[in-house]
């Protein structure tokens, strides 16, 4: 039987499944709409895709590392209850391990083979949705690597090894002792977890953010009625303070506030035994930037009572 676009569209609307899945279901069942729907449900596809519209802002951050690189991934679920599920934790941990063998981009991780299933990571997550019964998504991933040195990691609010609510990577390049570099890098990673810097250096700060701050500082300074040359110096001072607050190397080091991170690195070079440079950091906090659905529970109960 010929499968038409209209038939695929109808099944897609009924099931919420993807177009190719609907076409496959209809082909497998000779165009029988009801049988195709049952086929999708048995495969867990209809159930999974129907849940895909629900907000997934809980979940876990996972990290994995080897000698010269580390990755961090965020896999979201709808509830914290699922995040405490052993199967979900294993999924996130395994995805992080798989990500270590890629360039760390979300596309590369999603299309990489998940060893336990032989399927792609994306398809394995989709299967897990049907099994666990909640919407889940591999939201983002990142990887840092160095040719010489170490990439340190830190996980905050740890639920088990390498899994938690916040993950940080810090890459340090050096020809010195890699273990000493990793130990200091872990301290910096803890600092990043606490302070959430915007950038590594002043040059890395978004120029639009700097311009916005400069405009605000200029307007505030002009309200003082002081001459323009004094205002200019006031703005320069405010910008210096701004950079000290948001630039990692300029921040006061949480492990020793008498030193900036930059100066703490210089001190650490004594243990490392060679010049060292922080070349990058990544900080993933669970659910940051995800718009969570706000529900009125009382209204929901009232609506249910009327039905």
């Amino acid at each position: 039987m010929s499968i038409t676009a209209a038939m695929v569209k109808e099944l897609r609307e009924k099931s919420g499944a993807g177009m190719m899945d609907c076409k496959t279901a209809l082909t497998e069942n000779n165009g029988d709409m009801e049988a195709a729907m049952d086929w999708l449900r048995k495969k867990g596809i209809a159930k999974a895709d129907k849940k895909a519209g629900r907000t997934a802002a809980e979940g876990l951050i996972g990290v994995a590392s080897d000698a010269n690189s580390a990755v961090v991934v965020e896999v979201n679920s709808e509830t914290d209850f699922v995040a405490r599920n052993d199967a979900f934790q294993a999924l996130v941990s395994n995805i992080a391990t798989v990500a270590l063998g890629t360039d760390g981009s979300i596309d590369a991780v999603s299309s990489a083979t998940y060893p336990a299933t032989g399927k792609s990571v994306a398809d394995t997550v989709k299967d897990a949705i049907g099994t666990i019964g909640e919407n889940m998504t591999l939201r983002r991933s990142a990887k840092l690597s160095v040719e010489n040195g170490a990439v340190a990691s830190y996980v905050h609010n740890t639920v088990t090894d390498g899994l938690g609510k916040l993950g940080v990577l810090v890459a340090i390049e050096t020809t010195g002792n890699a273990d000493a570099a990793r130990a200091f890098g872990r301290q910096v990673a803890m600092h990043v977890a606490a302070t959430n810097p915007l950038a590594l250096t002043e040059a890395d700060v978004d120029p639009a953010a700097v311009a916005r701050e400069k405009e605000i500082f200029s307007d505030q300074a002009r309200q003082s009625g002081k001459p323009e040359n004094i205002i200019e110096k006031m703005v320069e001072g405010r910008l210096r303070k701004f950079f000290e607050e948001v630039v990692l190397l300029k921040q006061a080091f949480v492990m020793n506030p008498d030193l900036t991170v930059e100066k703490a690195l210089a001190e650490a070079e004594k243990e490392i035994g060679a010049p060292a440079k922080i070349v990058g950091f990544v900080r993933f906090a669970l659910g940051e930037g995800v718009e969570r659905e706000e529900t009125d529970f009382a209204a929901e109960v009232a609506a249910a009572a009327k039905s």
Side-chain angles (χ1 to χ4, degrees):
M1 180 180 178
S2 176
I3 306 302
T4 66
M7 292 167 66
V8 173
K9 181 174 181 289
E10 182 182 347
L11 182 58
R12 192 177 182 189
E13 288 172 353
K14 283 183 177 180
S15 66
M19 185 171 65
M20 292 309 296
D21 287 329
C22 288
K23 187 174 182 181
T24 302
L26 287 163
T27 303
E28 290 288 327
N29 293 280
N30 298 315
D32 186 320
M33 194 67 63
E34 192 170 324
M37 184 68 184
D38 289 343
W39 186 89
L40 288 169
R41 291 183 66 189
K42 286 173 186 174
K43 296 284 185 183
I45 296 170
K47 183 180 180 182
D49 284 341
K50 277 187 174 180
K51 292 178 183 294
R54 300 215 296 254
T55 302
E58 295 295 339
L60 288 169
I61 303 293
V63 301
S65 60
D66 58 22
N68 294 93
S69 60
V71 294
V72 57
V73 301
E74 178 178 358
V75 183
N76 295 133
S77 61
E78 291 178 51
T79 65
D80 185 56
F81 178 77
V82 163
R84 297 195 298 270
N85 178 296
D86 288 343
F88 181 77
Q89 291 178 8
L91 177 71
V92 180
S93 182
N94 289 336
I95 288 174
T97 301
V98 169
L100 200 53
T102 73
D103 64 10
S105 67
I106 192 69
D107 288 343
V109 178
S110 295
S111 60
T113 300
Y114 190 91
T117 64
K119 298 182 179 181
S120 69
V121 167
D123 284 342
T124 301
V125 170
K126 190 172 183 180
D127 289 344
I129 296 172
T131 303
I132 296 175
E134 262 195 29
N135 184 31
M136 287 177 276
T137 179
L138 170 60
R139 183 179 174 221
R140 53 183 174 159
S141 62
K143 183 178 183 179
L144 292 180
S145 300
V146 292
E147 193 168 329
N148 295 297
V151 181
S153 63
Y154 170 68
V155 178
H156 191 62
N157 288 338
T158 307
V159 296
T160 187
D161 285 349
L163 299 176
K165 301 294 185 181
L166 189 155
V168 179
L169 308 180
V170 173
I172 297 181
E173 276 188 355
T174 181
T175 55
N177 186 294
D179 289 337
R182 185 172 287 104
F184 177 71
R186 179 174 167 79
Q187 290 189 329
V188 176
M190 294 172 76
H191 169 97
V192 170
T195 63
N196 193 17
L198 289 181
L200 176 61
T201 69
E202 287 186 22
D204 295 328
V205 179
D206 181 359
V210 176
R212 186 167 58 250
E213 294 299 319
K214 192 171 182 179
E215 184 179 347
I216 292 169
F217 295 154
S218 296
D219 287 347
Q220 290 174 342
R222 284 195 178 88
Q223 290 174 22
S224 67
K226 289 184 170 59
E228 279 298 318
N229 63 324
I230 301 298
I231 289 172
E232 193 174 320
K233 285 184 168 50
M234 289 171 68
V235 171
E236 285 175 7
R238 293 278 190 90
L239 277 176
R240 256 195 318 272
K241 183 69 175 171
F242 169 69
F243 286 129
E244 287 170 6
E245 290 172 354
V246 303
V247 171
L248 174 57
L249 292 176
K250 300 294 182 185
Q251 289 179 328
F253 191 34
V254 292
M255 304 296 175
N256 181 357
D258 291 334
L259 299 176
T260 62
V261 172
E262 193 169 32
K263 288 180 179 175
L265 175 63
E267 290 286 316
E269 287 177 345
K270 297 171 187 174
E271 288 291 324
I272 295 170
K277 182 181 182 182
I278 299 172
V279 293
F281 72 91
V282 178
R283 181 185 188 272
F284 279 6
L286 182 68
E288 62 187 348
V290 175
E291 288 189 16
R292 300 171 188 245
E293 292 178 12
E294 298 296 331
T295 59
D296 186 336
F297 185 67
E300 284 183 14
V301 173
K306 290 176 185 175
S307 60

